[in-house]
Amino acid sequence: MATIIKGKEVAEYVLADVKARADALLARGITPCLAVILVGDDPASQVYVRKKKEKCEELGIRSLQIHLPAETTQQELLARVEALNADPSVHGVLCQLPLPEQIDEQTIVRAVRPEKDVDGFTCRISADERDLMPCTPAGVMEMLRYAGVAVAGKRCVVVGRSNIVGKPMAALLLQADGTVTVCHSKTRDLAAVTREADILVAAVGKPHFITADMVKEGAVVIDVGVNRVAEKKLLGDVDFEAVEKKASFITPVPGGVGLMTIAMLMKNTVRAAAQQTI
Ligand code: NDP
């Protein structure tokens, strides 16, 4: 039976350090500040934005909420981002995704200055300590560290190649000296590839897509997927019940990687504030 890596436990561990760093900044008269832009009224986005605000308040981080109408143009949004880029009292800037269809997400994501890009979407993933790492993949790396899972030399398989999860996840595992394979919808004989994995990361967006026959005995299985299958029911990409019996470590959904994403956002915000006020 696998050991469950609990997101709450790892997030609390990370946030204790973030709080200490935020307090040290406050003692110097610096209040870390995160600006979150929400365009439109998508209910899920509203929930995410509210959670970010609450977490900021818990940590003594100033939270600036900018709510724009759904018909906001790209130019108007760019002007808002530019103003926040130029404001020295704001240390982190993010636009809640998805954005309305008249706005090109990549243009907006790239408009945020790298030192304020607390989502880490523009990160080059190098060994540079100053880089703000992409939150979800960085959260996975924290979970592996916390569980004592060494990545160096391991065969790592990431299923999914999105710009915000799959690709940066693969890059971070590679940075940690894993031997990394990235799979996607065109991968042939996916199960044969996933069965090779010592560390398997699922970021597909399909409920219970990874079944026990796709997992090697003793593998570490990380489930990034969040799939809403009923109003109050979330399922991961991994068939948890079956895979738990085979894996050595596994993350649950809910209560897994999702809790790490917001913790890493807070970490990036405080780190950005520290770097901008040296
Ligand atoms: P995307 O839809 O952008 O990417 C999904 C990836 O899965 C694509 O690369 C796609 O391949 C691949 N894929 C789809 N079908 C298959 C298949 N049959 N076989 C192999 N690969 C397949 O999703 P995201 O990366 O944004 O998110 C993935 C999941 O993670 C979602 O459930 C999302 O909700 C969740 N998520 C969770 C977060 C958290 O905080 N826990 C944060 C962000 C996302 P191709 O490129 O070929 O189309």
Side-chain angles (χ1 to χ4, degrees):
M1 213 56 161
T3 300
I4 298 174
I5 312 177
K6 295 189 181 114
K8 185 166 186 288
E9 207 174 295
V10 190
E12 275 170 8
Y13 171 78
V14 168
L15 288 171
D17 179 58
V18 173
K19 177 90 177 80
R21 287 172 195 271
D23 287 347
L25 286 170
L26 288 165
R28 285 173 48 209
I30 298 154
T31 306
C33 174
L34 171 65
V36 176
I37 308 178
L38 173 64
V39 186
D41 300 302
D42 177 61
S45 292
Q46 285 178 324
V47 172
Y48 289 132
V49 167
R50 197 186 67 234
K51 285 187 177 166
K52 287 169 188 174
K53 180 170 186 267
E54 287 166 2
K55 196 51 82 182
C56 281
E57 282 165 1
E58 261 173 63
L59 296 165
I61 296 171
R62 186 162 78 97
S63 159
L64 201 60
Q65 308 271 304
I66 296 149
H67 193 174
L68 301 175
E71 56 278 9
T72 302
T73 65
Q74 180 159 308
Q75 273 316 106
E76 285 165 343
L77 183 55
L78 276 174
R80 289 293 189 135
V81 170
E82 284 307 333
L84 294 166
N85 276 342
D87 183 342
S89 72
V90 173
H91 307 106
V93 178
L94 73 84
C95 289
Q96 187 65 43
L97 302 182
L99 291 167
E101 58 182 19
Q102 74 274 16
I103 298 172
D104 177 48
E105 281 186 1
Q106 278 309 307
T107 302
I108 300 301
V109 162
R110 278 194 235 110
V112 178
R113 267 172 47 187
E115 60 270 36
K116 295 196 179 189
D117 174 22
V118 283
D119 264 332
F121 289 160
T122 56
C123 177
R124 292 164 291 126
I125 314 216
S126 65
D128 191 332
E129 286 284 304
R130 288 165 303 182
D131 282 349
L132 300 170
M133 295 293 164
C135 296
T136 301
V140 170
M141 298 307 286
E142 288 282 355
M143 291 180 107
L144 293 173
R145 256 193 299 277
Y146 185 87
V149 174
V151 175
K154 300 274 173 63
R155 299 212 56 158
C156 307
V157 174
V158 180
V159 189
R161 58 172 165 180
S162 70
N163 289 332
I164 62 167
V165 188
K167 279 183 201 154
M169 185 73 253
L172 285 179
L173 289 165
L174 185 61
Q175 185 73 30
D177 296 329
T179 301
V180 183
T181 303
V182 183
C183 301
H184 45 78
S185 65
K186 308 290 186 296
T187 299
R188 283 193 204 148
D189 200 357
L190 178 68
V193 183
T194 59
R195 273 196 295 270
E196 295 270 301
D198 301 312
I199 299 173
L200 176 61
V201 181
V204 189
K206 296 194 168 155
H208 286 189
F209 180 79
I210 302 288
T211 48
D213 61 303
M214 297 168 79
V215 176
K216 180 167 83 174
E217 197 74 45
V220 176
V221 180
I222 306 288
D223 191 351
V224 179
V226 179
N227 307 288
R228 190 166 292 282
V229 290
E231 190 173 343
K232 291 216 162 138
K233 190 153 176 65
L234 293 181
L235 286 184
D237 287 348
V238 175
D239 180 357
F240 182 88
E241 238 174 72
V243 172
E244 184 191 22
K245 296 186 178 80
K246 260 183 134 175
S248 57
F249 289 91
I250 191 165
T251 65
V253 177
V257 175
L259 296 172
M260 293 306 298
T261 300
I262 195 157
M264 301 313 287
L265 175 67
M266 298 298 119
K267 181 173 176 171
N268 275 349
T269 301
V270 172
R271 184 185 253 198
Q275 283 168 1
Q276 286 163 45
T277 54
I278 289 169

